[in-house]
Amino acid sequence: MRKAPKAVDPIYLTPEWKVLARYIKQLRGYVCEMCSKDFSKLQHKLIADHIVERKDGGADLDPSNLQCLCTWCHNRKTAQAQKMRCQGVD
Ligand SMILES: [Zn+2]
């Protein structure tokens, strides 16, 4: 199986996304929604994540499809999603 090249989705480079990502983090009080840790002093460790991934049909810029995750939880979630995909579960 060939690995797809890891390209940055162009949406993450748009001003709209950057504004929304900042807004979501502020709105959730800089708390990771998975581990509930406070990242207000480590804001660069928090990311706005699509709950339903865009390739699975999730909305791009809809706040209701976004959650605030720290990089650790995000990596865990991504790894799990990839595993599911490899097992052929849609
Ligand atoms: Zn976390």
mmCIF file of all heavy atoms in Angstrom, residues 29-48:
data_model
loop_
_atom_site.group_PDB
_atom_site.id
_atom_site.type_symbol
_atom_site.label_atom_id
_atom_site.label_comp_id
_atom_site.label_asym_id
_atom_site.label_seq_id
_atom_site.Cartn_x
_atom_site.Cartn_y
_atom_site.Cartn_z
ATOM 1 N N GLY A 29 -12.573 28.187 25.850
ATOM 2 C CA GLY A 29 -11.771 28.541 27.014
ATOM 3 C C GLY A 29 -10.403 27.887 27.030
ATOM 4 O O GLY A 29 -9.819 27.678 28.097
ATOM 5 N N TYR A 30 -9.874 27.565 25.845
ATOM 6 C CA TYR A 30 -8.540 26.961 25.715
ATOM 7 C C TYR A 30 -8.399 25.668 26.499
ATOM 8 O O TYR A 30 -7.358 25.380 27.077
ATOM 9 C CB TYR A 30 -7.443 27.961 26.133
ATOM 10 C CG TYR A 30 -7.466 29.209 25.288
ATOM 11 C CD1 TYR A 30 -8.035 30.381 25.767
ATOM 12 C CD2 TYR A 30 -6.940 29.200 24.004
ATOM 13 C CE1 TYR A 30 -8.089 31.524 24.984
ATOM 14 C CE2 TYR A 30 -6.993 30.335 23.224
ATOM 15 C CZ TYR A 30 -7.557 31.490 23.709
ATOM 16 O OH TYR A 30 -7.609 32.615 22.935
ATOM 17 N N VAL A 31 -9.501 24.900 26.529
ATOM 18 C CA VAL A 31 -9.481 23.612 27.205
ATOM 19 C C VAL A 31 -9.608 22.517 26.146
ATOM 20 O O VAL A 31 -10.435 22.610 25.249
ATOM 21 C CB VAL A 31 -10.648 23.521 28.228
ATOM 22 C CG1 VAL A 31 -10.835 22.102 28.729
ATOM 23 C CG2 VAL A 31 -10.400 24.464 29.396
ATOM 24 N N CYS A 32 -8.767 21.492 26.262
ATOM 25 C CA CYS A 32 -8.866 20.361 25.346
ATOM 26 C C CYS A 32 -10.150 19.605 25.661
ATOM 27 O O CYS A 32 -10.413 19.286 26.819
ATOM 28 C CB CYS A 32 -7.657 19.455 25.481
ATOM 29 S SG CYS A 32 -7.863 17.897 24.591
ATOM 30 N N GLU A 33 -10.948 19.314 24.636
ATOM 31 C CA GLU A 33 -12.241 18.677 24.880
ATOM 32 C C GLU A 33 -12.112 17.178 25.108
ATOM 33 O O GLU A 33 -13.084 16.518 25.448
ATOM 34 C CB GLU A 33 -13.196 18.980 23.728
ATOM 35 C CG GLU A 33 -13.536 20.458 23.715
ATOM 36 C CD GLU A 33 -14.513 20.840 22.623
ATOM 37 O OE1 GLU A 33 -15.470 20.106 22.387
ATOM 38 O OE2 GLU A 33 -14.309 21.890 22.011
ATOM 39 N N MET A 34 -10.923 16.626 24.939
ATOM 40 C CA MET A 34 -10.758 15.205 25.185
ATOM 41 C C MET A 34 -10.144 14.951 26.564
ATOM 42 O O MET A 34 -10.647 14.141 27.322
ATOM 43 C CB MET A 34 -9.895 14.585 24.096
ATOM 44 C CG MET A 34 -10.575 13.414 23.421
ATOM 45 S SD MET A 34 -9.583 12.796 22.062
ATOM 46 C CE MET A 34 -10.813 12.730 20.795
ATOM 47 N N CYS A 35 -9.060 15.643 26.878
ATOM 48 C CA CYS A 35 -8.415 15.379 28.168
ATOM 49 C C CYS A 35 -8.755 16.444 29.210
ATOM 50 O O CYS A 35 -8.326 16.338 30.356
ATOM 51 C CB CYS A 35 -6.902 15.237 27.989
ATOM 52 S SG CYS A 35 -6.090 16.739 27.439
ATOM 53 N N SER A 36 -9.526 17.463 28.810
ATOM 54 C CA SER A 36 -9.996 18.517 29.713
ATOM 55 C C SER A 36 -8.884 19.313 30.381
ATOM 56 O O SER A 36 -9.104 19.922 31.421
ATOM 57 C CB SER A 36 -10.903 17.943 30.802
ATOM 58 O OG SER A 36 -11.940 17.217 30.226
ATOM 59 N N LYS A 37 -7.702 19.292 29.784
ATOM 60 C CA LYS A 37 -6.615 20.095 30.356
ATOM 61 C C LYS A 37 -6.727 21.535 29.869
ATOM 62 O O LYS A 37 -7.191 21.799 28.771
ATOM 63 C CB LYS A 37 -5.261 19.519 29.933
ATOM 64 C CG LYS A 37 -4.792 18.417 30.835
ATOM 65 C CD LYS A 37 -3.339 18.075 30.526
ATOM 66 C CE LYS A 37 -3.043 16.677 31.015
ATOM 67 N NZ LYS A 37 -2.239 15.908 30.080
ATOM 68 N N ASP A 38 -6.277 22.432 30.717
ATOM 69 C CA ASP A 38 -6.309 23.850 30.412
ATOM 70 C C ASP A 38 -5.030 24.227 29.656
ATOM 71 O O ASP A 38 -3.924 24.060 30.180
ATOM 72 C CB ASP A 38 -6.411 24.625 31.734
ATOM 73 C CG ASP A 38 -6.444 26.124 31.520
ATOM 74 O OD1 ASP A 38 -6.302 26.572 30.353
ATOM 75 O OD2 ASP A 38 -6.603 26.850 32.513
ATOM 76 N N PHE A 39 -5.198 24.735 28.448
ATOM 77 C CA PHE A 39 -4.033 25.097 27.640
ATOM 78 C C PHE A 39 -3.948 26.606 27.428
ATOM 79 O O PHE A 39 -3.351 27.051 26.463
ATOM 80 C CB PHE A 39 -4.070 24.367 26.291
ATOM 81 C CG PHE A 39 -3.663 22.922 26.407
ATOM 82 C CD1 PHE A 39 -4.605 21.946 26.690
ATOM 83 C CD2 PHE A 39 -2.338 22.551 26.262
ATOM 84 C CE1 PHE A 39 -4.233 20.614 26.820
ATOM 85 C CE2 PHE A 39 -1.958 21.224 26.388
ATOM 86 C CZ PHE A 39 -2.897 20.257 26.663
ATOM 87 N N SER A 40 -4.543 27.363 28.342
ATOM 88 C CA SER A 40 -4.552 28.808 28.140
ATOM 89 C C SER A 40 -3.139 29.386 28.140
ATOM 90 O O SER A 40 -2.899 30.437 27.558
ATOM 91 C CB SER A 40 -5.426 29.486 29.188
ATOM 92 O OG SER A 40 -5.022 29.118 30.477
ATOM 93 N N LYS A 41 -2.204 28.688 28.766
ATOM 94 C CA LYS A 41 -0.821 29.173 28.754
ATOM 95 C C LYS A 41 0.012 28.472 27.675
ATOM 96 O O LYS A 41 1.187 28.746 27.520
ATOM 97 C CB LYS A 41 -0.187 28.974 30.126
ATOM 98 C CG LYS A 41 -0.805 29.877 31.172
ATOM 99 C CD LYS A 41 0.032 29.911 32.451
ATOM 100 C CE LYS A 41 -0.555 30.878 33.456
ATOM 101 N NZ LYS A 41 -1.841 30.380 34.021
ATOM 102 N N LEU A 42 -0.596 27.508 27.018
ATOM 103 C CA LEU A 42 0.104 26.759 25.964
ATOM 104 C C LEU A 42 -0.781 26.705 24.728
ATOM 105 O O LEU A 42 -1.060 25.640 24.182
ATOM 106 C CB LEU A 42 0.393 25.328 26.434
ATOM 107 C CG LEU A 42 1.471 25.109 27.484
ATOM 108 C CD1 LEU A 42 1.394 23.700 28.053
ATOM 109 C CD2 LEU A 42 2.859 25.336 26.888
ATOM 110 N N GLN A 43 -1.233 27.879 24.326
ATOM 111 C CA GLN A 43 -2.247 27.915 23.270
ATOM 112 C C GLN A 43 -1.776 27.300 21.959
ATOM 113 O O GLN A 43 -2.576 26.808 21.178
ATOM 114 C CB GLN A 43 -2.693 29.357 23.041
ATOM 115 C CG GLN A 43 -3.507 29.856 24.217
ATOM 116 C CD GLN A 43 -3.841 31.333 24.088
ATOM 117 O OE1 GLN A 43 -3.760 31.910 23.019
ATOM 118 N NE2 GLN A 43 -4.215 31.948 25.194
ATOM 119 N N HIS A 44 -0.454 27.312 21.739
ATOM 120 C CA HIS A 44 0.061 26.750 20.482
ATOM 121 C C HIS A 44 -0.077 25.224 20.451
ATOM 122 O O HIS A 44 0.092 24.617 19.404
ATOM 123 C CB HIS A 44 1.511 27.176 20.273
ATOM 124 C CG HIS A 44 2.428 26.699 21.355
ATOM 125 N ND1 HIS A 44 2.441 27.268 22.617
ATOM 126 C CD2 HIS A 44 3.338 25.707 21.376
ATOM 127 C CE1 HIS A 44 3.329 26.622 23.352
ATOM 128 N NE2 HIS A 44 3.895 25.679 22.625
ATOM 129 N N LYS A 45 -0.378 24.618 21.611
ATOM 130 C CA LYS A 45 -0.561 23.160 21.661
ATOM 131 C C LYS A 45 -1.996 22.752 21.380
ATOM 132 O O LYS A 45 -2.323 21.578 21.359
ATOM 133 C CB LYS A 45 -0.172 22.622 23.056
ATOM 134 C CG LYS A 45 1.309 22.728 23.348
ATOM 135 C CD LYS A 45 2.068 21.669 22.583
ATOM 136 C CE LYS A 45 3.549 21.693 22.920
ATOM 137 N NZ LYS A 45 4.336 20.971 21.909
ATOM 138 N N LEU A 46 -2.854 23.739 21.211
ATOM 139 C CA LEU A 46 -4.263 23.446 20.943
ATOM 140 C C LEU A 46 -4.554 23.628 19.467
ATOM 141 O O LEU A 46 -4.063 24.557 18.843
ATOM 142 C CB LEU A 46 -5.154 24.414 21.718
ATOM 143 C CG LEU A 46 -5.682 24.003 23.075
ATOM 144 C CD1 LEU A 46 -6.686 25.056 23.522
ATOM 145 C CD2 LEU A 46 -6.335 22.647 23.061
ATOM 146 N N ILE A 47 -5.408 22.744 18.943
ATOM 147 C CA ILE A 47 -5.826 22.911 17.558
ATOM 148 C C ILE A 47 -7.338 22.788 17.453
ATOM 149 O O ILE A 47 -7.963 22.089 18.243
ATOM 150 C CB ILE A 47 -5.169 21.874 16.626
ATOM 151 C CG1 ILE A 47 -4.993 20.549 17.328
ATOM 152 C CG2 ILE A 47 -3.852 22.372 16.104
ATOM 153 C CD1 ILE A 47 -4.248 19.570 16.477
ATOM 154 N N ALA A 48 -7.872 23.481 16.475
ATOM 155 C CA ALA A 48 -9.289 23.322 16.165
ATOM 156 C C ALA A 48 -9.374 22.132 15.216
ATOM 157 O O ALA A 48 -8.742 22.115 14.173
ATOM 158 C CB ALA A 48 -9.829 24.589 15.515
#
